[in-house]
Amino acid sequence: MAKMTIKDLDVKHKKVLVRVDFNVPLKDGVITDDNRIMAALPTIKYLIEQKARVILMSHLGKVNHKDPEKTEADKKKNNMAPVAARLAELVDTNVTFVPVTQGPELEEAVNGLNDGEIVVVQNTRYEKGESKNDLELSRYWASLADCFVSDAFGSAHRAHASTVGVAEILPSALGFLVEKEVTALSAAIYNPKRPLVAIVGGAKVSDKIAVIDNLLKIADKVLIGGGMAYTFLKAQGLQVGKSLLEEDKIELAKEYLARGKDKLVLPIDHKVADNFAVDANTKIVANDEIPEDFMGLDIGPKTIELFKKELEGAKTVIWNGPMGVFEMQPFAQGTLEVCRAISELDDANTVIGGGDSAAAAIQLGFKEKFTHISTGGGASLEFMEGKQLPGIEVIANK
Ligand code: ADP
Ligand code: MG
């Protein structure tokens, strides 16, 4: 069912509260990657053009509210000021940063907005009530604006005051980023052109239980790579040496193997290393040859060929989780080749969810080669698990 989108809202001369995802990586107060700010620009620029008065809110990092000493240190570390400064460089209007989340300074800044101008509010997590979806806080934030736009896909899986609380009070709609995410991910998960091939990797089975569960239901094939593959291989009775292994998930892996049958495709060879290091000694071995003192850090060349074959003719590909430790060049080959194979598919809807998978695809030069690379780590994971995200659910249907 279609949700209200920003174009359905009357925003002209209105105060529009927008929940964006400005949770960018910071190092000593300097932004190391502004992708998330860039991703919010279509909504922000549209509102400027429409002569709205824009109030932007986001969380940034975590703030511990249990230990007062930590609270102060976290607030200092996760100050939104550098984000507002970066935004000011990207838009052609006045951007006012308000270093608080409540009170006269914020209210004056909001009331002083002219059409097409922006206020950036301090990190929402300065407020203890934010992550508790506190009603009073939601009412207060809602009182600042005439309507609300939900554009923080990366936070849509959390029912917080700034994602769900305010949306329950104000006329609300999805922003362009969330609309794009929902459209692309829904097409792959709920209405896939077939065959649908899912590729799951990354570190641990335990992070991906619900994803594998759902993908086994909806996909035609589920290819498993990365660290989690070793728990599956162990479940088949193989020795995995020093590879990542979750003993307590072996039974579950057995269950998936029984349920998935031919649908579930495991690696057949590996690049193993004697150390978790760039300069480790490595070799390529088959499943039954993993030495006791080596660990599997990437899928091997035969597995790459096998996965490429499985991908042939796919019309939808859902990818979550790298095939190996792609952060280290000697173990990036599997992820690189799988990326390449997906990018060469004709006429396929190809989506990536998961923070590290998205980073890998971008880092390896495939940013433009996928139909959609999700901006939400946890949120895209939950979407792929088939869950409804509260930050999207709360927006009314048209
Ligand atoms: P995503 O964020 O895309 O959901 P995960 O967080 O589940 O992915 O997993 C990403 C991490 O998995 C990466 O840091 C990568 O180095 C690691 N990884 C992949 N394969 C292996 C492996 N064979 N052994 C150890 N770690 C691995
Ligand atoms: Mg991750």
Side-chain angles (χ1 to χ4, degrees):
M1 217 175 296
K3 294 276 175 195
M4 292 278 285
T5 73
I6 189 167
K7 291 207 164 164
D8 301 312
L9 286 179
D10 174 19
V11 296
K12 211 159 252 153
H13 315 303
K14 296 276 165 51
K15 286 182 275 185
V16 184
L17 178 62
V18 189
R19 176 54 158 96
V20 286
D21 179 5
F22 281 170
N23 184 30
V24 295
L26 285 172
K27 199 164 191 290
D28 305 321
V30 178
I31 298 168
T32 55
D33 176 355
D34 66 0
N35 262 315
R36 285 187 164 154
I37 304 176
M38 304 302 286
L41 287 180
T43 290
I44 296 169
K45 288 190 168 164
Y46 171 81
L47 289 171
I48 296 170
E49 278 162 24
Q50 296 293 311
K51 303 193 173 5
R53 303 167 184 202
V54 186
I55 308 159
L56 300 179
M57 271 189 180
S58 173
H59 79 279
L60 179 60
K62 290 198 173 111
V63 178
N64 180 316
H65 286 282
K66 295 212 172 90
D67 171 346
E69 235 168 75
K70 284 198 184 132
T71 311
E72 283 320 301
D74 284 349
K75 283 186 176 176
K76 205 164 164 218
K77 189 169 93 191
N78 297 311
N79 190 317
M80 196 63 82
V83 178
R86 178 70 187 120
L87 177 69
E89 294 169 356
L90 297 167
V91 291
D92 199 10
T93 186
N94 284 332
V95 176
T96 305
F97 174 62
V98 179
V100 292
T101 42
Q102 281 201 51
E105 191 178 352
L106 173 59
E107 291 150 32
E108 275 158 33
V110 167
N111 292 328
L113 275 171
N114 293 311
D115 288 351
E117 291 184 342
I118 299 174
V119 158
V120 176
V121 183
Q122 183 59 279
N123 181 357
T124 53
R125 287 195 182 159
Y126 273 40
E127 293 285 347
K128 199 176 168 184
E130 156 74 330
S131 50
K132 297 186 174 132
N133 192 8
D134 180 79
L135 183 60
E136 281 308 304
L137 181 63
S138 303
R139 281 191 181 139
Y140 174 74
W141 281 341
S143 76
L144 299 171
D146 301 305
C147 56
F148 175 71
V149 172
S150 160
D151 211 26
F153 184 72
S155 301
H157 58 314
R158 302 212 163 100
H160 290 177
S162 69
T163 58
V164 167
V166 288
E168 282 173 333
I169 299 167
L170 289 170
S172 301
L174 303 181
F176 292 121
L177 175 62
V178 174
E179 187 188 9
K180 184 167 144 235
E181 291 274 3
V182 171
T183 305
L185 294 172
S186 298
I189 305 277
Y190 293 106
N191 191 22
K193 285 185 286 170
R194 294 192 181 272
L196 160 58
V197 179
I199 308 171
V200 190
K204 297 195 281 181
V205 181
S206 49
D207 293 336
K208 306 284 165 83
I209 293 172
V211 176
I212 300 173
D213 223 276
N214 192 41
L215 292 176
L216 278 178
K217 283 184 205 141
I218 64 173
D220 299 295
K221 287 278 176 179
V222 179
L223 319 182
I224 304 261
M228 70 167 62
Y230 299 98
T231 301
F232 282 89
L233 294 175
K234 183 79 180 181
Q236 289 185 323
L238 291 157
Q239 295 308 318
V240 299
K242 287 197 295 176
S243 307
L244 262 189
L245 175 65
E246 289 173 279
E247 298 273 0
D248 62 337
K249 294 290 173 288
I250 294 175
E251 282 310 308
L252 183 71
K254 281 186 187 164
E255 212 182 293
Y256 285 154
L257 287 164
R259 178 138 67 90
K261 299 193 186 72
D262 290 353
K263 200 185 255 197
L264 204 61
V265 184
L266 294 177
I268 50 177
D269 66 344
H270 311 268
K271 188 165 196 183
V272 295
D274 62 354
N275 209 342
F276 192 86
V278 188
D279 59 357
N281 294 307
T282 64
K283 50 187 167 183
I284 304 291
V285 298
N287 275 356
D288 56 0
E289 298 169 345
I290 301 175
E292 215 176 299
D293 50 351
F294 275 64
M295 60 187 88
L297 295 184
D298 197 7
I299 54 174
K302 290 201 173 112
T303 306
I304 291 173
E305 286 315 308
L306 173 67
F307 284 8
K308 277 186 178 167
K309 219 159 174 52
E310 296 291 352
L311 278 166
E312 272 172 25
K315 290 292 172 209
T316 304
V317 179
I318 297 171
W319 180 33
N320 172 272
M323 297 291 96
V325 184
F326 73 96
E327 298 93 332
M328 292 194 252
Q329 199 273 334
F331 312 109
Q333 196 72 10
T335 304
L336 176 73
E337 291 302 331
V338 165
C339 257
R340 199 193 315 279
I342 299 172
S343 73
E344 286 170 356
L345 289 171
D346 276 332
D347 188 30
N349 182 25
T350 56
V351 302
I352 302 183
D356 292 293
S357 327
I362 293 168
Q363 185 184 314
L364 296 170
F366 291 88
K367 188 172 164 74
E368 308 302 330
K369 305 279 188 184
F370 286 82
T371 312
H372 183 69
I373 300 181
S374 179
T375 57
S380 53
L381 210 60
E382 290 199 16
F383 207 107
M384 291 178 174
E385 292 169 1
K387 286 193 191 141
Q388 303 295 326
L389 310 187
I392 293 168
E393 270 308 281
V394 69
I395 306 299
N397 294 319
K398 282 200 217 186

